[in-house]
Amino acid sequence: GAGVSQSPSNKVTEKGKDVELRCDPISGHTALYWYRQSLGQGLEFLIYFQGNSAPDKSGLPSDRFSAERTGGSVSTLTIQRTQQEDSAVYLCASSPLLSRGASTDTQYFGPGTRLTVL
Amino acid sequence: QQQVKQSPQSLIVQKGGISIINCAYENTAFDYFPWYQQFPGKGPALLIAIRPDVSEKKEGRFTISFNKSAKQFSLHIMDSQPGDSATYFCAALGGRRALTFGSGTRLQVQP
């Protein structure tokens, strides 16, 4: 089946504007993750959703960042009042999470959204 | 405790040679260690993964060696090909479900 898809593939915005990034996980995958990839910081975890559980937001860098997942499928990452340091590639991943409590779930990544804040 | 250290930062190998990338971790709660391959403009793709109950896992030309006591693991690419030229990331997962990534190794295989 189709892999993880993300849109847009590229987004250029002006400092101070809000942006929304979208992720469509692999069908049937219950876990969804957002990561950020930047030159200076490498690959960083942002937020994790698992089923109906409360999301793990421990990686969000500031309260300008938020994410939601509707209907257990599509997720949107929102960045308010964007800053130049928000420029990065935002990656979404999903996993089937074979069994509750297992930590050996494989994460499948989308192609990312490249965000440039001018 | 969450950090995964990866080396080298970049690597140049001749076609047919062996590429070796090393990673070390501190958090003993990690119990799943994947390697990802990333081409420019693409997302990371899972290459191979290992759990700490085995010391080696091989899939085709790719092998992970795992040393639990030293808290180190490495990726070996045998018979390296120009098509293997990419950035490789080691990662670790355990407890918290978020992957902790190494800093990446840019591999260039010269023809």
Side-chain angles (χ1 to χ4, degrees), chain B residues 6-79:
Chain B
Q6 183 172 347
S7 64
Q9 187 174 10
S10 63
L11 182 61
I12 299 175
V13 173
Q14 296 297 315
K15 179 182 175 182
I18 302 173
S19 303
I20 302 174
I21 305 170
N22 301 298
C23 284
Y25 64 98
E26 289 295 326
N27 189 348
T28 55
F30 289 144
D31 60 2
Y32 176 67
F33 302 88
W35 284 88
Y36 282 85
Q37 179 188 56
Q38 186 177 30
F39 293 103
K42 305 291 186 182
L46 179 69
L47 195 59
I48 187 172
I50 198 168
R51 305 180 192 185
D53 55 345
V54 296
S55 61
E56 185 175 283
K57 183 174 181 179
K58 183 176 181 179
E59 291 184 1
R61 296 185 294 111
F62 302 94
T63 299
I64 300 178
S65 296
F66 188 87
N67 186 329
K68 187 175 181 178
S69 61
K71 291 186 284 187
Q72 295 175 348
F73 59 110
S74 61
L75 176 69
H76 292 62
I77 306 174
M78 312 299 288
D79 187 26

Side-chain angles (χ1 to χ4, degrees), chain A residues 33 35 37 42-45 48 50 56 58-59 91 97 99-112 114, chain B residues 29-32 34 36 38 41-46 49 51 87 89 93-103 106:
Chain A
Y33 314 78
Y35 293 86
Q37 185 171 26
L43 275 153
E44 303 173 279
F45 163 73
Y48 157 66
Q50 164 52 19
D56 177 351
S58 60
L91 292 161
L97 201 61
S99 61
R100 190 171 183 84
S103 62
T104 55
D105 47 334
T106 299
Q107 297 185 20
Y108 300 87
F109 283 81
R114 180 174 296 278
Chain B
F30 289 144
D31 60 2
Y32 176 67
Y36 282 85
Q38 186 177 30
K42 305 291 186 182
L46 179 69
R51 305 180 192 185
T87 300
F89 292 93
L93 184 143
R96 190 179 81 159
R97 297 198 179 279
L99 286 167
T100 300
F101 284 91
S103 54
R106 179 173 290 185

Side-chain angles (χ1 to χ4, degrees), chain A residues 46-114:
Chain A
L46 296 177
I47 187 169
Y48 157 66
F49 295 89
Q50 164 52 19
N52 295 321
S53 302
D56 177 351
K57 305 179 182 180
S58 60
L60 295 178
S62 76
D63 58 9
R64 295 186 295 105
F65 288 73
S66 63
E68 63 177 17
R69 188 178 186 192
T70 54
S73 182
V74 171
S75 178
T76 302
L77 177 69
T78 301
I79 309 173
Q80 296 179 310
R81 305 181 302 281
T82 52
Q83 303 295 312
Q84 289 182 332
E85 61 262 29
D86 299 334
S87 296
V89 176
Y90 290 82
L91 292 161
C92 176
S94 69
S95 70
L97 201 61
L98 297 176
S99 61
R100 190 171 183 84
S103 62
T104 55
D105 47 334
T106 299
Q107 297 185 20
Y108 300 87
F109 283 81
T113 294
R114 180 174 296 278

Side-chain angles (χ1 to χ4, degrees), chain A residues 1-37:
Chain A
V4 177
S5 60
Q6 293 186 245
S7 61
S9 56
N10 282 284
K11 177 71 176 179
V12 179
T13 190
E14 294 179 347
K15 178 181 173 180
K17 300 281 190 181
D18 297 351
V19 295
E20 286 189 351
L21 312 179
R22 177 186 168 105
C23 171
D24 283 273
I26 294 172
S27 178
H29 280 193
T30 60
L32 185 147
Y33 314 78
W34 284 97
Y35 293 86
R36 177 170 71 174
Q37 185 171 26

